[in-house]
Amino acid sequence: MKRTPLHEPSSRLGLRDLGSESLAGILQRPGRSVLTVLGTVLGIGAFVTVLGLTATASGQIGEQFGLTRATTVDVDDRPRTDGVAPGANPPTNFPADTDTRLARIDGVRSGGVWWPLPGAPAVSGRPGGESEGTGLAVLAATPGAVAAMEPTLTAGVTMDPFVQETAQPVVLLSRAAATRLGVGRLDAQPAVFIDSLPYTVIGIYSDVRRQPGALLGMIVPASTALARYGNPGGEPDRTARGLIATRAGAAPVVAAQVPVALRPDAPDAFTVLPPPDPHSLQDRVTSDLTGLFLALAAICLLVGAVGIANTTLVAVLERTQEIGLRRSLGARTGHIAAQFLTESTVLGTLGGLIGTGLGVTTVVAVAAARDWTAVLQPAVTLPAPLIGTAVGLLAGLHPALRAARTDPLQALRAA
């Protein structure tokens, strides 16, 4: 008859017994179990939330890019300095009827010419007053360029061909410039002073879809700027530029036709900048955001794993006597290790399920609050509970091995 060594009594532990013992261990101290699950809930919830919000935000970035940047064509002037007197600004290559020529191109919604006024014009809200416009940009623009900027008016009207043809001394103010200059209402036809010359304020805008530099400044008619300041500057950041708003998908074709439409005699006088490929830009932005938030999610998961390991280890220390009694009654080291591993794995899985649900709910709630389209990638959402299971399993390895190595004699003596 084969004898079993005294230090390893013969016993068997079925799956049903393992499950019942693990469940009893979890329910024995419900408060501790809840705190253990909470660590995994926070980790998995943060993991699903940050990746879901990253995908959602990236989708919004791509959508905004597609609506704005993909329908914008920029044109840089390359003025020649031949025959220009020293110190004088060279004339621009843009013809006087640029707005009309651009409007004739199929696919163009609006387009025109703009440039910053040379020097640093002194801007004031009252005659003879000190300059109050430090940091405010003063742009000259044709009505077509203003239309291509697509300003959001809060008061007044925008520029029309009349003010351009007659070189009217009028100005459009951004909300920042209006606040700085003390202009709040237009019913009294207020005026601002640029280099001591009055300009009637015809409109105030709060936002622009293109040319964000106009958000911190003001816009005067291009013809008025030419009459009072002469040609645009010859420096690269002061030359005249074309701004064109196209219909969706028409930008590449429009960009190819612009030089010939503006100057059929010298199409090389311009450098046309069509929009970049939206997919490559969106992919770069998405990759950067995903990498950043993946690191944050990994930290959250690490915190949850440390919480499970710490709580499971405390449970092992608290149940030393129980472990010793089980060993003395025939439980093997593998049985003890399996029980504690099962407990930590169950807690990790439960935390993964709850955390996934909370993460999905958070992403949907944030997207709904901001009128976004929620984007949840199945490759991330579906395996999230399994990640909680893996975290619980790995976190319980060390405590389970420590429990399995407990000497039953020393455990019983400590009772």
Side-chain angles (χ1 to χ4, degrees), residues 209-289:
R209 194 170 183 181
R210 297 174 182 85
Q211 190 49 39
L215 288 174
L216 294 176
M218 58 198 71
I219 306 173
V220 300
S223 57
T224 306
L226 284 173
R228 296 187 173 183
Y229 292 91
N231 295 324
E235 301 177 1
D237 59 341
R238 295 291 180 181
T239 56
R241 301 188 65 184
L243 180 64
I244 306 172
T246 71
R247 290 197 293 267
V253 177
V254 170
Q257 299 179 14
V258 164
V260 177
L262 293 180
R263 289 292 301 272
D265 58 327
D268 59 345
F270 305 100
T271 300
V272 182
L273 305 175
D277 181 14
H279 297 291
S280 61
L281 178 61
Q282 182 179 355
D283 290 343
R284 289 197 300 270
V285 174
T286 302
S287 177
D288 293 341
L289 287 176

Side-chain angles (χ1 to χ4, degrees), residues 110 116 146 152 176 207 213 242 251 260 270 273 289 295-296 304 335-336 361 366 379 387 394 411 415:
S110 56
V146 175
T152 302
D207 195 11
V260 177
F270 305 100
L273 305 175
L289 287 176
L296 178 59
H335 300 162
I336 301 298
T361 302
V366 172
I387 296 177
L394 295 176

Side-chain angles (χ1 to χ4, degrees), residues 10 35 39 55 57 93 119 130 163 170 188 210 283 294 297 301 323 370 383 387:
S10 178
L35 292 177
N93 289 308
E130 297 182 358
V163 299
V170 296
R210 297 174 182 85
D283 290 343
L294 268 178
L301 287 177
I323 295 171
R370 302 185 65 87
I387 296 177

Side-chain angles (χ1 to χ4, degrees), residues 8-12 325-332 335:
E8 191 70 30
S10 178
S11 65
R12 299 179 62 184
L325 181 60
R326 289 176 181 273
R327 291 293 309 278
S328 65
L329 294 177
R332 297 181 179 181
H335 300 162

Side-chain angles (χ1 to χ4, degrees), residues 116-387:
L117 292 189
V123 180
S124 176
R126 56 188 184 277
E130 297 182 358
S131 178
E132 303 169 346
T134 303
L136 296 178
V138 183
L139 306 180
T142 63
V146 175
M149 295 178 189
E150 297 188 31
T152 302
L153 291 176
T154 59
V157 296
T158 186
M159 290 186 186
D160 56 28
F162 174 78
V163 299
Q164 171 70 13
E165 294 170 0
T166 57
Q168 294 293 315
V170 296
V171 63
L172 284 173
L173 296 181
S174 66
R175 184 162 55 186
T179 302
R180 182 86 66 85
L181 300 175
V183 178
R185 301 176 57 181
L186 303 184
D187 49 1
Q189 297 184 339
V192 297
F193 296 83
I194 303 175
D195 286 339
S196 301
L197 296 177
Y199 291 77
T200 302
V201 180
I202 61 172
I204 299 175
Y205 57 90
S206 60
D207 195 11
V208 290
R209 194 170 183 181
R210 297 174 182 85
Q211 190 49 39
L215 288 174
L216 294 176
M218 58 198 71
I219 306 173
V220 300
S223 57
T224 306
L226 284 173
R228 296 187 173 183
Y229 292 91
N231 295 324
E235 301 177 1
D237 59 341
R238 295 291 180 181
T239 56
R241 301 188 65 184
L243 180 64
I244 306 172
T246 71
R247 290 197 293 267
V253 177
V254 170
Q257 299 179 14
V258 164
V260 177
L262 293 180
R263 289 292 301 272
D265 58 327
D268 59 345
F270 305 100
T271 300
V272 182
L273 305 175
D277 181 14
H279 297 291
S280 61
L281 178 61
Q282 182 179 355
D283 290 343
R284 289 197 300 270
V285 174
T286 302
S287 177
D288 293 341
L289 287 176
T290 302
L292 176 63
F293 286 117
L294 268 178
L296 178 59
I299 294 175
C300 295
L301 287 177
L302 179 61
V303 172
V306 171
I308 292 178
N310 181 64
T311 306
T312 307
L313 183 59
V314 171
V316 170
L317 297 177
E318 291 180 351
R319 297 163 64 182
T320 300
Q321 299 176 8
E322 175 190 337
I323 295 171
L325 181 60
R326 289 176 181 273
R327 291 293 309 278
S328 65
L329 294 177
R332 297 181 179 181
T333 56
H335 300 162
I336 301 298
Q339 178 180 344
F340 281 94
L341 272 180
T342 302
E343 291 181 13
S344 64
T345 302
V346 169
L347 292 175
T349 303
L350 184 60
L353 289 171
I354 298 175
T356 301
L358 289 178
V360 171
T361 302
T362 302
V363 172
V364 173
V366 172
R370 302 185 65 87
D371 288 333
W372 290 354
T373 300
V375 178
L376 291 168
Q377 300 177 356
V380 173
T381 306
L382 296 181
L386 299 180
I387 296 177

Side-chain angles (χ1 to χ4, degrees), residues 43-137:
I44 298 297
F47 178 79
V48 174
T49 299
V50 296
L51 292 183
L53 290 179
T54 299
T56 301
S58 299
Q60 297 304 311
I61 292 173
E63 180 181 354
Q64 292 300 321
F65 177 87
L67 293 175
T68 302
R69 191 65 187 94
T71 58
T72 303
V73 175
D74 293 309
V75 184
D76 288 344
D77 188 14
R78 294 193 291 183
R80 296 185 177 181
T81 57
D82 300 342
V84 178
N89 291 330
T92 177
N93 289 308
F94 286 102
D97 59 344
T98 293
D99 290 17
T100 303
R101 296 192 181 199
L102 292 177
R104 293 172 181 168
I105 301 176
D106 189 23
V108 172
R109 293 193 292 111
S110 56
V113 186
W114 71 273
W115 67 88
L117 292 189
V123 180
S124 176
R126 56 188 184 277
E130 297 182 358
S131 178
E132 303 169 346
T134 303
L136 296 178

